[in-house]
Amino acid sequence: MTVGTYAELASVFAALSDETRWEILTELGRSDQSASSLATRLPVSRQAIAKHLTALQACGLVESVKVGREIRYRALGAELNKTARTLERIGAEWDRRLAAIKEIAESMEE
Amino acid sequence: MTVGTYAELASVFAALSDETRWEILTELGRSDQSASSLATRLPVSRQAIAKHLTALQACGLVESVKVGREIRYRALGAELNKTARTLERIGAEWDRRLAAIKEIAESMEE
DNA sequence: GACGTGTGCAACCATGGAGTTGCAGATCAC
DNA sequence: GTGATCTGCAACTCCATGGTTGCACACGTC
């Protein structure tokens, strides 16, 4: 994996590591909403939510659609799926290595 | 998804969002090592690495094995795979919802 | 026993970021 | 035009945390 992709990964991880952002994503997963609408449902200010939405949009987890004078946000699965595949690949790699070590240890016991 | 899983998920992402921790994991993915050994390879102090290892161990990304007077750490794939599956499920859900919305929009155009 | 090395704990500093308030600019309805 | 509402920007506070240094302890080796 190159350094470039790591920065991308890290931004997604950073976005997903905040609980408030998860709540925002969960809300958006149920229905598209504006920042103001989210602010009435979550216990933080609209400005705080706006910041979170900027971060989420920056790493592709969310997209915005203008509807009249308000801006609706919606959750996108693509980036999440991509991240999931990367994690799966790395996890499998670690498991493989661990299995190999175990095998060597067993063969040495004989 | 319950609130409980949120916190768990968030802790894994928090662990993965730090570059130094990622480097530690990469190192451990190549071979099991002690904190001191990692300190010679990475540009941070042993104490900093020890803190990271504690965090990584707390969320199940790493396990420790005592070898003589040193403590070796190794990367575990299980938690990563579990996280990947969760992300995949959520991502698929969002995609499904988006597809449904798109379909409705198209049917209204007719 | 003495030294070298690996670990653990505590205090401390600096930075980033989550959250807030306040204000100003759009835009829609009347 | 006026008011209501949605947005954006900026300054500020506060706390979590990544990093450091310093010291003490444990264990193995000579």
Side-chain angles (χ1 to χ4, degrees):
Chain A
M1 177 163 46
T2 67
V3 175
T5 39
Y6 170 72
E8 199 180 324
L9 260 185
S11 75
V12 175
F13 291 144
L16 295 179
S17 67
D18 184 83
E19 191 144 352
T20 299
R21 272 194 291 265
W22 267 112
E23 289 174 9
I24 290 176
L25 287 173
T26 304
E27 270 297 322
L28 294 182
R30 296 200 304 137
S31 67
D32 300 356
Q33 291 178 54
S34 67
S36 299
S37 167
L38 285 166
T40 65
R41 285 174 168 74
L42 303 180
V44 290
S45 69
R46 175 187 63 86
Q47 284 83 347
I49 289 181
K51 281 192 199 172
H52 287 308
L53 287 172
T54 303
L56 290 171
Q57 193 167 17
C59 62
L61 288 171
V62 143
E63 82 178 348
S64 64
V65 191
K66 215 170 174 189
V67 179
R69 72 177 154 181
E70 71 177 6
I71 299 177
R72 298 251 177 90
Y73 291 86
R74 78 168 40 130
L76 296 178
E79 194 63 30
L80 221 54
N81 292 329
K82 191 173 149 196
T83 305
R85 282 196 301 275
T86 303
L87 289 188
E88 211 159 18
R89 209 198 64 223
I90 300 174
E93 212 173 298
W94 292 353
D95 279 348
R96 235 190 340 269
R97 195 184 143 264
L98 197 54
I101 290 177
K102 215 171 176 182
E103 197 170 328
I104 292 175
E106 283 172 358
S107 75
M108 286 180 71
E109 282 179 2
E110 294 172 4
Chain B
M1 177 165 44
T2 68
V3 175
T5 31
Y6 269 168
E8 199 180 323
L9 262 183
S11 77
V12 174
F13 289 127
L16 296 177
S17 65
D18 184 81
E19 186 145 0
T20 300
R21 262 184 312 253
W22 199 256
E23 287 174 12
I24 290 176
L25 286 173
T26 304
E27 269 298 321
L28 294 181
R30 296 199 305 137
S31 67
D32 300 356
Q33 290 177 56
S34 68
S36 299
S37 167
L38 285 166
T40 64
R41 286 174 167 74
L42 302 180
V44 290
S45 69
R46 174 188 62 85
Q47 286 81 348
I49 289 181
K51 282 191 198 175
H52 287 309
L53 288 172
T54 303
L56 290 170
Q57 194 167 16
C59 62
L61 288 171
V62 143
E63 82 177 349
S64 65
V65 191
K66 215 168 174 191
V67 180
R69 73 175 155 179
E70 73 178 4
I71 298 178
R72 298 252 177 89
Y73 290 85
R74 77 168 41 129
L76 295 179
E79 192 64 29
L80 223 52
N81 292 330
K82 188 174 150 197
T83 305
R85 281 195 302 274
T86 304
L87 286 190
E88 215 158 15
R89 210 198 62 223
I90 300 175
E93 213 173 296
W94 292 352
D95 280 347
R96 237 191 336 271
R97 195 184 142 262
L98 196 53
I101 290 177
K102 217 172 176 180
E103 198 171 325
I104 291 175
E106 283 172 358
S107 73
M108 287 179 73
E109 282 178 3
E110 295 171 5

